[in-house]
Amino acid sequence: MDKVNIKKLAAELNLSAATVSRALRDSHEIGAATKARVMEMARKMNYVANPSASNLRSHKSKTIAVIVPEIANSFFSQAINGIEEIARAHNYHVLIYQTHENVEAENAFIRSLLSGRVDGILISIASGTSESRNYKDVLPVLPLIFFDRVCEDIEAIKITTNDYQSSYTATKHLIENGCKKIAYLKAIDHTPAGKNRIAGYVNALKDSEILFDERLMIDTRSEQENVELIKNLLQTQKPDGLIASIEELSLPCYYACRELSLKIPTDVKIISFSNLKTAGILNPSLTTIAQPAFEMGRTAAGILFKILNRKEVELNQTLVLDSELVVRDSTQNLY
Amino acid sequence: MDKVNIKKLAAELNLSAATVSRALRDSHEIGAATKARVMEMARKMNYVANPSASNLRSHKSKTIAVIVPEIANSFFSQAINGIEEIARAHNYHVLIYQTHENVEAENAFIRSLLSGRVDGILISIASGTSESRNYKDVLPVLPLIFFDRVCEDIEAIKITTNDYQSSYTATKHLIENGCKKIAYLKAIDHTPAGKNRIAGYVNALKDSEILFDERLMIDTRSEQENVELIKNLLQTQKPDGLIASIEELSLPCYYACRELSLKIPTDVKIISFSNLKTAGILNPSLTTIAQPAFEMGRTAAGILFKILNRKEVELNQTLVLDSELVVRDSTQNLY
DNA sequence: CTGTTAGCGCCTTCAG
DNA sequence: CTGAAGGCGCTAACAG
């Protein structure tokens, strides 16, 4: 049936397989007339090159891999969206792997990709990953670019968000909208991202000459407990602004306010970090710091293709993208 | 460096390449002792089989393709999540393609996949696609399974959601919570899904002996216009329940109620179809009919692997999955 | 500008 | 149970 290969094409055209191959790859050493003839016959015969054969010979898979903790996480799905778009423009294919935060799985994926299946890897590492050895083994063999969840102790290309700036902006926004006592709900504060967010908050206060009060910065736990923690915070400290340092903290804020009959944003204004640009749309009372997932995907992929196309690329750089403040009525009184 | 191939492995072991190959593939005609020896050396030498070579020879790519309109759409990203999970369990790789609803792109993807790059395809078709010819060309060559956005006029395996049942359940839920005048906001009513949703609504009313009033069923347009349309509906018809037949209609409902100072759920109860199970978490006042995206991905992939493993599969079946009613305080008064 | 030759790395006969 | 030989479809190197 369909087994049209380059030989049959060549036979049909009274040419050698090599010539046909060259014509199809648009080589400069083939005449325009011949190329046209070949192209037309290829279309007519429904010829599609066998990628395995061509990879085997040329050592180019025209494929890249994306490794993320979770596809359905909106942040990563948006990033993949950006990656796919760039890959498409380069006529590349995209393989997807999710680690579910499992370091073993991540290593297995990486190892299996060292066999020539892909020309490059984009990775957002599993949170448990500390061993940078696995990544170091890859670097000499295959371009490997980190995005969002980057590996710290390794010299490589990394794309991250500007957590410090995001948090600073969020805090400033609340201050500019009249908040005097802004509380900060901590989370993931052992990660670089978490630390930077805290620093942004603290420095924004300082720059506005508001005294940092550590009673306004509380630790968080499970969703159930958080509602109580936040209620307690609201009652004892009476803040007029809340910063939820991760998306998961926004709902407890909402519930706590509701249980205390505090009106948002009249009594308390809320800003939440979020992976979802639409979070504020789904919940109209939620202002968010939306992470630039799509742009991150595009950027990471863009750099990878520069490398694959042998462009000059600084191989030990960290690119920092800014988040976007999406304002809803949780911080500004609309009437 | 790493170019350790089967020959080098064989040389190291004083065996022939053929024997090593068989041992690695766990062939029954190799002694257990030899197998163990080979396996260990393979691990020691960091041997990874070259997939191109083995595909070329064996005509198995160990890869499947997923074609969807948009990755970042939460429905599809969840579906992909499910697909990846099943693929993983079968040691398969997953290629992702997004069409952005572009039929040309979709055809190009499909054509390019006919070359042996993948062993099967899972597809959710672009909305503009009507030509079933392209798909028909694939079926004899490669397993092709439709999910969610299926092609109607073709004999193939299809997985869909139960739009009729979902809508029926939603309507019944509102009725059970005291609604007497339930309005229905139409959308995508030219698609099978849209039609079935309307039918579910109408029949649920009928079964509860509520007269269907066509003034309660309105067409929708852009988000801006929808707020006005819904406001008008609320003012002239005074419904006590609203059904948003797609996710994008939920926010206009919210805004319209707010502008008219109608309390949710006291004055009006709302249910929205949604791709996002978490929609009701992000927006606590929103009850949703959540589509079973993850399950759909798992199901579609499961059937594909049955086919790939030569299990008996009915090749012209349509599987219908149920949506899930996720209740929040938009329909039930909590205090 | 085109043809011939020789593999890429693996798997699958066919012989032992 | 193991080895030797050949070829999957394509492309790179070398000739003309």
Side-chain angles (χ1 to χ4, degrees):
Chain A
M1 47 128 166
D2 272 339
K3 296 293 153 213
V4 187
N5 57 23
I6 217 167
K7 254 189 190 160
K8 289 203 191 134
L9 242 187
E12 204 71 33
L13 288 158
N14 280 339
L15 286 170
S16 74
T19 304
V20 173
S21 170
R22 279 187 281 239
L24 289 170
R25 318 208 86 243
D26 202 27
S27 159
H28 53 279
E29 45 183 349
I30 298 290
T34 316
K35 268 184 199 166
R37 231 159 58 82
V38 172
M39 288 311 221
E40 201 192 308
M41 183 59 83
R43 207 173 325 109
K44 212 173 101 189
M45 295 182 72
N46 250 303
Y47 170 77
V48 193
N50 179 322
S52 303
S54 126
N55 298 349
L56 182 57
R57 194 66 242 262
S58 66
H59 299 290
K60 308 221 141 151
S61 64
K62 284 255 167 197
T63 305
I64 62 174
V66 180
I67 304 177
V68 293
E70 213 72 49
I71 291 165
N73 174 316
S74 63
F75 180 85
F76 295 118
S77 70
Q78 281 179 257
I80 294 169
N81 182 353
I83 292 166
E84 205 274 350
E85 201 165 299
I86 301 293
R88 193 82 311 276
H90 290 259
N91 259 295
Y92 260 67
H93 301 256
V94 182
L95 279 170
I96 299 284
Y97 302 89
Q98 53 186 342
T99 60
H100 297 293
E101 307 286 7
N102 181 337
V103 181
E104 306 296 325
E106 190 181 287
N107 287 339
F109 290 147
I110 292 178
R111 272 208 50 196
S112 84
L113 292 173
L114 254 30
S115 58
R117 188 181 287 277
V118 299
D119 296 344
I121 302 177
L122 301 174
I123 189 171
S124 205
I125 71 179
S127 63
T129 310
S130 50
E131 281 279 353
S132 58
R133 238 177 37 77
N134 305 298
Y135 310 127
K136 284 191 180 137
D137 290 346
V138 180
L139 282 174
V141 186
L142 220 52
L144 175 67
I145 294 178
F146 297 88
F147 68 97
D148 191 52
R149 306 263 209 98
V150 307
C151 179
E152 297 251 278
D153 54 339
I154 192 173
E155 291 199 357
I157 299 175
K158 305 166 193 175
I159 330 270
T160 64
T161 45
N162 195 335
D163 291 289
Y164 173 84
Q165 188 59 47
S166 306
S167 186
Y168 188 95
T169 304
T171 312
K172 274 287 189 186
H173 182 78
L174 288 177
I175 294 169
E176 280 157 16
N177 281 276
C179 293
K180 309 282 186 201
K181 284 189 79 170
I182 300 170
Y184 183 96
L185 311 177
K186 279 197 282 188
I188 57 164
D189 47 327
H190 53 288
T191 72
K195 284 175 195 154
N196 286 330
R197 288 176 195 185
I198 291 173
Y201 161 72
V202 171
N203 280 352
L205 292 181
K206 195 198 284 174
D207 291 355
S208 296
E209 287 164 5
I210 296 178
L211 218 61
F212 166 66
D213 181 348
E214 64 176 12
R215 288 169 301 179
L216 286 170
M217 186 151 84
I218 65 166
D219 280 314
T220 56
R221 321 180 111 210
S222 72
E223 185 178 320
Q224 289 292 334
E225 293 173 278
N226 288 341
V227 176
E228 289 310 312
L229 286 167
I230 296 166
K231 270 171 72 178
N232 184 54
L233 173 75
L234 288 167
Q235 287 179 307
T236 58
Q237 302 299 327
K238 304 209 182 302
D240 52 11
L242 286 180
I243 296 177
S245 68
I246 58 169
E247 191 169 86
E248 288 75 9
L249 291 172
S250 68
L251 191 60
C253 288
Y254 177 94
Y255 282 140
C257 288
R258 191 173 67 175
E259 288 186 24
L260 297 175
S261 296
L262 291 170
K263 280 197 198 127
I264 305 166
T266 319
D267 300 325
V268 184
K269 303 188 199 305
I270 302 176
I271 287 187
S272 174
F273 275 75
S274 173
N275 293 327
L276 210 56
K277 216 179 227 165
T278 55
I281 293 178
L282 289 164
N283 182 353
S285 70
L286 180 63
T287 282
T288 54
I289 290 283
Q291 317 270 60
F294 180 72
E295 266 316 298
M296 191 173 275
R298 287 176 55 92
T299 306
I303 294 180
L304 177 55
F305 282 108
K306 271 196 185 161
I307 297 174
L308 294 180
N309 291 327
R310 305 244 141 55
K311 301 251 173 71
E312 281 291 321
V313 174
E314 167 60 60
L315 290 179
N316 180 23
Q317 58 171 316
T318 298
L319 244 128
V320 181
L321 304 182
D322 287 327
S323 299
E324 186 187 337
L325 184 72
V326 182
V327 179
R328 303 284 163 184
D329 59 7
S330 67
T331 56
Q332 297 184 318
N333 292 316
L334 294 185
Y335 342 100
Chain B
M1 43 119 174
D2 272 338
K3 295 294 153 212
V4 34
N5 55 24
I6 218 167
K7 250 189 193 160
K8 290 203 187 131
L9 241 187
E12 205 72 31
L13 289 158
N14 281 338
L15 285 170
S16 75
T19 305
V20 174
S21 171
R22 279 187 278 239
L24 290 170
R25 318 206 85 247
D26 202 26
S27 160
H28 53 277
E29 44 183 351
I30 298 291
T34 316
K35 268 185 200 168
R37 235 162 53 83
V38 171
M39 288 310 218
E40 200 191 308
M41 182 58 84
R43 207 173 324 109
K44 213 173 101 189
M45 295 182 70
N46 251 301
Y47 171 78
V48 191
N50 179 322
S52 304
S54 91
N55 296 351
L56 180 57
R57 194 64 238 269
S58 65
H59 299 290
K60 308 222 140 145
S61 64
K62 285 253 168 201
T63 306
I64 62 173
V66 181
I67 304 177
V68 294
E70 213 73 49
I71 291 165
N73 175 315
S74 63
F75 180 84
F76 295 118
S77 70
Q78 281 179 257
I80 293 170
N81 183 352
I83 292 167
E84 205 273 350
E85 202 166 299
I86 300 293
R88 192 82 310 276
H90 289 259
N91 259 293
Y92 260 68
H93 302 258
V94 182
L95 279 170
I96 299 284
Y97 301 89
Q98 54 186 340
T99 61
H100 298 294
E101 307 287 8
N102 180 338
V103 180
E104 305 296 324
E106 189 180 287
N107 287 340
F109 291 146
I110 292 178
R111 272 209 50 193
S112 85
L113 293 173
L114 253 32
S115 58
R117 187 181 288 277
V118 299
D119 297 344
I121 303 177
L122 301 174
I123 189 171
S124 204
I125 72 178
S127 63
T129 309
S130 50
E131 280 280 352
S132 57
R133 237 175 38 76
N134 305 298
Y135 309 126
K136 285 191 180 137
D137 290 346
V138 179
L139 282 174
V141 186
L142 221 52
L144 175 68
I145 294 178
F146 296 88
F147 69 97
D148 191 51
R149 305 260 211 101
V150 307
C151 179
E152 297 251 279
D153 53 339
I154 191 173
E155 291 199 356
I157 299 175
K158 305 166 192 175
I159 330 272
T160 64
T161 46
N162 195 334
D163 291 290
Y164 173 86
Q165 188 58 46
S166 306
S167 187
Y168 188 96
T169 304
T171 311
K172 273 288 190 187
H173 182 77
L174 287 177
I175 294 169
E176 280 158 16
N177 281 276
C179 293
K180 309 282 185 202
K181 283 189 78 170
I182 299 170
Y184 183 96
L185 310 176
K186 277 197 282 187
I188 57 166
D189 47 326
H190 53 288
T191 70
K195 285 176 195 153
N196 287 330
R197 289 176 195 185
I198 292 172
Y201 161 71
V202 171
N203 280 352
L205 292 181
K206 195 197 286 173
D207 290 355
S208 295
E209 285 163 8
I210 296 179
L211 218 62
F212 167 66
D213 180 347
E214 65 176 12
R215 288 169 302 179
L216 286 170
M217 185 151 85
I218 64 167
D219 280 314
T220 55
R221 322 179 109 209
S222 71
E223 186 178 316
Q224 289 291 333
E225 292 172 279
N226 288 341
V227 176
E228 289 310 311
L229 286 168
I230 295 165
K231 270 171 72 177
N232 184 54
L233 173 74
L234 288 167
Q235 287 180 306
T236 58
Q237 301 299 327
K238 304 209 182 304
D240 53 10
L242 287 180
I243 295 177
S245 67
I246 58 170
E247 191 169 85
E248 288 76 8
L249 291 172
S250 68
L251 190 60
C253 288
Y254 177 94
Y255 281 140
C257 288
R258 193 174 65 174
E259 289 186 23
L260 296 175
S261 297
L262 291 170
K263 281 196 197 129
I264 305 167
T266 319
D267 301 325
V268 184
K269 303 190 198 305
I270 301 176
I271 287 188
S272 175
F273 275 75
S274 172
N275 292 328
L276 211 55
K277 217 180 226 166
T278 55
I281 292 177
L282 289 164
N283 183 351
S285 69
L286 181 63
T287 282
T288 55
I289 289 283
Q291 318 270 59
F294 180 72
E295 267 316 299
M296 191 173 275
R298 288 177 55 91
T299 307
I303 294 180
L304 177 55
F305 282 108
K306 271 196 185 160
I307 296 175
L308 294 180
N309 292 327
R310 305 243 142 55
K311 302 251 174 70
E312 282 290 321
V313 174
E314 167 59 61
L315 289 178
N316 180 23
Q317 57 171 318
T318 299
L319 245 127
V320 180
L321 304 182
D322 287 328
S323 300
E324 184 186 339
L325 185 70
V326 182
V327 179
R328 304 284 164 183
D329 58 8
S330 68
T331 55
Q332 296 184 319
N333 292 317
L334 294 184
Y335 341 100

